[in-house]
Amino acid sequence: MASLYHHSSFPLSPPHQLTAHEPPRATLPSYRISTLPSSHHGNTLPRPPSFACHCKAPPRYIDAELLRALQSNGNGALHHGDPSPPQLLNPGSDGTSNKRPPRLCARDCAKRIMELPVEERVKVLDLLQRDDAALTVSDYNDILSALARAGDHASAVSLFRAMPVAPDAHSFATAVRCLCLQGAPDEAKLALDEMVARGFRPGAATFSAVVGCLCKRGRVTRAMEVLDAMRALGCEPTIRNYNSLLGGLCYVGRLEEALDLLNNLKKGGSAMVTPDIYTFTIVLDGFCKVGRTEEATDIFHDAIGMGLSPTIFTYNALLNGHCKEGHPLRAFALLMEMCGSEAAARPRPDRISFSIVLTALLRAGETAAAWQVYKRMERAGFEADGRALDTLARGLCRRCAADASAALGDAREVFGKLVASGHEPVSYTYCLMAQALARGGEVDAAVALLEEMVRRGYALRKRAYTDVVRALCDRARARDAMRVMVLVMIVRDFVPGRNAFDALLGELGRQGRWHDAMAVYAAAVKRGVVVSWKQLGMEQRLRLGVPQ
């Protein structure tokens, strides 16, 4: 195979090695490694930014001493107040100005280095006391590594570009890893290419970083090229490299290729590339995400057949696949197996496992199974999120219509947990809870819940307050029923439905409260509600003056 690496104009490389008697030269604005034109050789560098702008308030005494030393070493000056910005314009002979970016100096990286623990930063800050020309490539490598550990990958790459000394393998490796962590796979690949072109041999970790970065961005073909070059240099890819490649293939939808590669790894027999449980999990998850759960299940059993122990990530991927494919009860059965298994090889469900299955069951209307999952989740020490609790409370309230005695206690428990968690139930949940309480005989609690809804400004459903009014009338509590009607009509300015008026008129007629009945009848007529008189006898209709 032809070499994948060639000499190219790499946009990250530092300028060529300077001799001891040659002063540092300005780099081109693009930071490319191309030969500098002769017209630029005489340019002087603009003054770097003041070191004081990074270190106005040294956090520790030892850092203050180092900064005071920097003040008198000629590399920079500390100014009182705001430091003046560096001059970036060099006036030309024709009166125009050419903008040039300032060259990054090692001192400019001190701000992030000082955030490291004191034992890590003392050595690096000591290097920053020297002039840039006195720093060796080893010194620059220490500074690059410190920036990488501090998480300032952009500054590490910028310093690598501006190094006045030729980089070595460690410099390139650090720059490649920083580019990968920045999410720049193409630039990382170019850095790797030039590293090899200069005669350096990247380590397995450097190759792995580039392969992983390319695969995460879906650049699978280029990742395969890096693996081929890795083999050409005598560095055998590891299973981690293949896992990254499998993840990239699944990410771009090339599942058949991923499955073929997995099968080839199973047949390979090399200790370096024996598939582990993560290899199987990556491919299994790829199939689950596209709704091919049956094939994912076969991969799951293949992993177990090879003596591998599935992790919680493996099970969660399979649970998610069943739920996405519309089979929440299969996911429920698998979750119950996980909960009931005492085998050490099978992990216990975590919060994600329960949440996946609970959400899918609630979406499918499987309230009974969802209630079991919720109780298992609670016993395991996990809490459901507010949305799941809200949905579960509504499902349990609906079950009260068929079996109020069995489901009401569960509904009250979940509703109370929902309110206690700080998650505000939606209006529909409040109304369903009021209906469930009224049907279950807890009328006072239902009335209190309606009053709470009115106080909070929630919209009332007709069926909710109608069920409460009926429950009150069934218990001969006409006065409380009238209070609820007044609450609805006057306070919320709603028009009760015909069924609520009918229930209240019937109870008032049975109690012989004709004056109150006439007032309720007048309120209904005023609001355009046509009431029914079927439940009233002839004598009661005559007393109310209702037309026959």
Side-chain angles (χ1 to χ4, degrees):
M1 182 180 113
S3 174
L4 296 168
Y5 299 97
H6 55 276
H7 293 272
S8 60
S9 179
F10 173 47
L12 303 172
S13 300
H16 56 278
Q17 175 80 41
L18 298 177
T19 59
H21 61 277
E22 184 179 3
R25 295 174 180 171
T27 56
L28 290 174
S30 62
Y31 298 103
R32 293 187 176 271
I33 194 172
S34 55
T35 306
L36 294 174
S38 59
S39 59
H40 292 282
H41 286 183
N43 289 348
T44 59
L45 289 173
R47 186 179 183 85
S50 171
F51 187 74
C53 66
H54 296 310
C55 310
K56 290 182 180 179
R60 300 178 74 94
Y61 175 76
I62 185 170
D63 298 329
E65 292 294 331
L66 289 170
L67 297 180
R68 279 197 289 271
L70 285 171
Q71 183 179 11
S72 59
N73 71 352
N75 288 338
L78 295 176
H79 302 280
H80 296 287
D82 294 329
S84 58
Q87 183 69 32
L88 300 181
L89 299 178
N90 293 325
S93 58
D94 57 352
T96 61
S97 298
N98 298 321
K99 292 186 178 181
R100 293 180 180 277
R103 187 174 68 84
L104 182 71
C105 297
R107 296 183 307 281
D108 302 330
C109 304
K111 183 176 181 180
R112 290 301 298 271
I113 292 175
M114 291 180 68
E115 297 176 4
L116 292 171
V118 62
E119 60 274 8
E120 296 185 27
R121 70 187 181 212
V122 167
K123 176 184 176 182
V124 180
L125 289 177
D126 182 64
L127 294 175
L128 300 183
Q129 298 182 65
R130 309 177 192 174
D131 190 87
D132 283 1
L135 296 176
T136 65
V137 65
S138 178
D139 297 331
Y140 274 103
N141 287 342
D142 289 338
I143 299 172
L144 290 172
S145 298
L147 287 169
R149 288 195 302 272
D152 194 357
H153 306 116
S155 294
V157 173
S158 298
L159 181 61
F160 174 76
R161 288 169 169 165
M163 283 171 57
V165 295
D168 60 7
H170 187 277
S171 312
F172 271 105
T174 304
V176 168
R177 288 195 296 271
C178 289
L179 286 167
C180 291
L181 291 171
Q182 279 187 291
D186 293 327
E187 293 186 47
K189 175 69 164 54
L190 287 174
L192 186 67
D193 288 349
E194 184 159 343
M195 183 179 182
V196 174
R198 291 195 178 201
F200 300 119
R201 181 175 176 177
T206 306
F207 277 115
S208 298
V210 178
V211 171
C213 186
L214 287 168
C215 290
K216 286 178 182 178
R217 297 297 177 124
R219 313 294 294 277
V220 181
T221 302
R222 301 203 71 182
M224 291 180 177
E225 294 175 358
V226 174
L227 287 178
D228 291 339
M230 188 176 179
R231 294 190 196 93
L233 291 173
C235 186
E236 188 65 26
T238 65
I239 192 59
R240 292 186 62 184
N241 302 136
Y242 284 108
N243 286 350
S244 297
L245 184 58
L246 285 169
L249 289 170
C250 293
Y251 177 72
V252 298
R254 295 161 64 175
L255 297 177
E256 304 303 333
E257 294 180 51
L259 187 58
D260 290 342
L261 178 56
L262 175 62
N263 292 329
N264 290 334
L265 291 174
K266 287 161 57 179
K267 299 173 184 176
S270 173
M272 289 287 291
V273 291
T274 301
D276 55 16
I277 189 58
Y278 300 103
T279 314
F280 284 92
T281 301
I282 290 168
V283 182
L284 178 150
D285 183 56
F287 277 89
C288 286
K289 285 179 177 176
V290 297
R292 298 170 64 176
T293 314
E294 294 295 334
E295 294 165 274
T297 304
D298 294 338
I299 296 172
F300 177 80
H301 292 304
D302 286 345
I304 296 177
M306 289 186 63
L308 300 174
S309 300
T311 66
I312 189 60
F313 303 104
T314 313
Y315 277 101
N316 286 347
L318 201 54
L319 290 171
N320 195 44
H322 285 309
C323 294
K324 281 193 171 183
E325 204 170 350
H327 302 297
L329 292 179
R330 293 184 187 175
F332 172 71
L334 180 59
L335 182 68
M336 291 299 105
E337 289 180 17
M338 295 171 65
C339 291
S341 175
E342 300 297 334
R346 179 171 290 175
R348 306 293 292 178
D350 61 3
R351 186 178 183 275
I352 296 176
S353 313
F354 286 112
S355 298
I356 290 171
V357 181
L358 179 61
T359 303
L361 289 171
L362 291 172
R363 189 180 296 117
E366 300 289 347
T367 307
W371 172 250
Q372 294 184 50
V373 172
Y374 169 73
K375 296 304 289 184
R376 290 271 192 175
M377 188 177 186
E378 196 175 46
R379 285 197 292 270
F382 302 113
E383 292 186 0
D385 61 81
R387 174 178 288 185
L389 287 174
D390 208 333
T391 309
L392 180 58
R394 292 198 296 270
L396 291 171
C397 289
R398 293 189 191 98
R399 286 184 62 196
C400 292
D403 189 2
S405 59
L408 182 58
D410 299 341
R412 290 196 65 171
E413 177 186 340
V414 176
F415 187 82
K417 191 72 172 290
L418 175 63
V419 175
S421 67
H423 183 86
E424 191 70 24
V426 298
S427 175
Y428 187 41
T429 308
Y430 264 112
C431 290
L432 288 178
M433 191 69 236
Q435 288 178 245
L437 290 169
R439 292 170 182 174
E442 300 187 23
V443 187
D444 291 329
V447 172
L449 199 58
L450 285 180
E451 292 175 346
E452 177 71 11
M453 291 181 66
V454 171
R455 187 181 67 82
R456 291 177 177 267
Y458 281 120
L460 298 175
R461 296 178 71 239
K462 286 185 177 181
R463 190 162 184 179
Y465 57 74
T466 298
D467 285 353
V468 175
V469 169
R470 280 177 173 172
L472 289 169
C473 292
D474 290 342
R475 289 159 179 77
R477 297 174 58 178
R479 185 175 296 278
D480 292 332
M482 289 182 65
R483 184 163 60 89
V484 171
M485 294 290 281
V486 169
L487 185 73
V488 172
M489 290 188 294
I490 306 302
V491 179
R492 292 298 297 162
D493 197 23
F494 288 166
V495 179
R498 173 180 173 177
N499 292 333
F501 278 111
D502 287 349
L504 182 54
L505 284 172
E507 179 58 28
L508 290 173
R510 282 190 293 273
Q511 294 183 11
R513 298 171 57 180
W514 309 114
H515 185 273
D516 292 337
M518 182 56 71
V520 172
Y521 174 68
V525 173
K526 181 179 179 181
R527 287 163 176 78
V529 179
V530 180
V531 297
S532 173
W533 300 97
K534 293 181 181 179
Q535 70 274 24
L536 296 180
M538 183 63 66
E539 180 182 356
Q540 294 169 330
R541 296 184 194 181
L542 292 173
R543 286 179 178 274
L544 288 174
V546 178
Q548 302 299 314

